Amino acid sequence: EPTFDKAETRPPKQFLSVWPYIQSLLRESMQKRQKVKAEGGDISYQEIFGKLGEKAQFLLTFNPKSETEFSEDLTVTEITKSIFSFLGSDLDIEKIKESLESKNQSCFALVQAFSSFSDFFKRLRYTRGKVNLLKQLSWTFIDESPFDFMKRLEGASSFIKEEVREAWEDLFEFLALTLESLNPLLAGSPEEVEKKMTLCLAILTTWNLKIEDPQKIQFVSRIKLFPILQGILNQFGNESSSLG
């Protein structure tokens, strides 16, 4: 007689952990069909489960996060509940896709804008034009720190958000280097000093520093922003000392 190993026939632990949610989803699907029929309509199980499959396929289009990327406040159980809640919802997947596509297009536009800024800036001959361009940039972040504008990209794909972040870092590294190139700030004719001071202040208005996490500190350290700012402040200190 054939013998069976209980360890081999027992479903995987991961399956057993989500089985209660699957049962709940099946019950909700049956209740949904009964409700539609009670209201005089008709909907097949094939149609109901077809929509469930579409939602599941939609979730699979997202890159999974590693365990270290999940918030410490979220448990596996809470994440599982959220997934099955989404699967059982009446959300319109096509509208969600349209919204995400619109978000991705906005991100692509930001990448293009950030990437072309430095080239456009270099082509401007006059200080006034450069200052006006910097004002446009500062208005982009009028209600938030440049570091925090990435929050606006929530919902976009991780790949596109990374593209935006890299373009943003390249842009602000360029601004830091431009700021450094103005040194010595107080050297030259009065007209030259005025132009450099005007441009310096315009660049500084684009920075609304709010450093809270290691990634931001690492970026600021890499572009040597604080030493650049310190060099500018030292010039004013030396100027005051010479006047005293």
Side-chain angles (χ1 to χ4, degrees), residues 74-244:
L74 288 176
T75 64
V76 174
T77 300
E78 289 172 328
I79 295 169
T80 304
K81 282 182 179 179
S82 297
I83 291 173
F84 278 91
S85 175
F86 173 78
L87 293 175
S89 70
D90 293 322
L91 294 172
D92 189 327
I93 292 297
E94 291 306 315
K95 287 185 178 180
I96 295 176
K97 288 180 179 178
E98 289 176 8
S99 176
L100 290 178
E101 180 60 26
S102 175
K103 181 72 72 172
N104 287 340
Q105 290 298 326
S106 298
C107 289
F108 277 125
L110 276 176
V111 171
Q112 293 298 319
F114 289 161
S115 299
S116 61
F117 182 94
S118 56
D119 290 335
F120 191 39
F121 186 89
K122 291 172 186 176
R123 292 177 186 177
L124 293 173
R125 294 179 56 192
Y126 300 105
T127 301
R128 180 178 295 180
K130 293 181 177 181
V131 169
N132 288 335
L133 185 60
L134 288 164
K135 284 181 179 179
Q136 292 292 331
L137 180 62
S138 65
W139 288 338
T140 304
F141 311 118
I142 193 165
D143 293 324
E144 60 195 335
S145 162
F147 283 119
D148 297 325
F149 92 98
M150 290 291 286
K151 293 177 182 176
R152 285 192 255 162
L153 308 183
E154 290 299 327
S157 70
S158 57
F159 170 77
I160 295 176
K161 284 196 283 190
E162 182 64 16
E163 291 256 318
V164 176
R165 187 190 63 78
E166 289 179 0
W168 177 87
E169 286 192 357
D170 289 343
L171 168 59
F172 276 86
E173 183 172 10
F174 165 76
L175 292 178
L177 292 173
T178 303
L179 195 61
E180 186 177 30
S181 70
L182 298 176
N183 280 326
L185 196 62
L186 302 178
S189 66
E191 183 180 6
E192 290 174 334
V193 171
E194 182 181 1
K195 287 181 179 179
K196 288 195 288 186
M197 286 288 292
T198 301
L199 191 55
C200 174
L201 292 173
I203 292 174
L204 290 176
T205 59
T206 63
W207 293 88
N208 178 18
L209 296 178
K210 185 179 179 183
I211 304 172
E212 296 174 334
D213 60 56
Q215 187 179 16
K216 297 173 183 178
I217 295 173
Q218 185 179 17
F219 171 65
V220 170
S221 299
R222 179 169 63 81
I223 65 174
K224 299 180 173 63
L225 179 63
F226 290 141
I228 293 171
L229 294 176
Q230 189 62 53
I232 292 173
L233 293 173
N234 288 343
Q235 291 181 63
F236 288 98
N238 294 337
E239 183 72 11
S240 299
S241 299
S242 63
L243 291 174

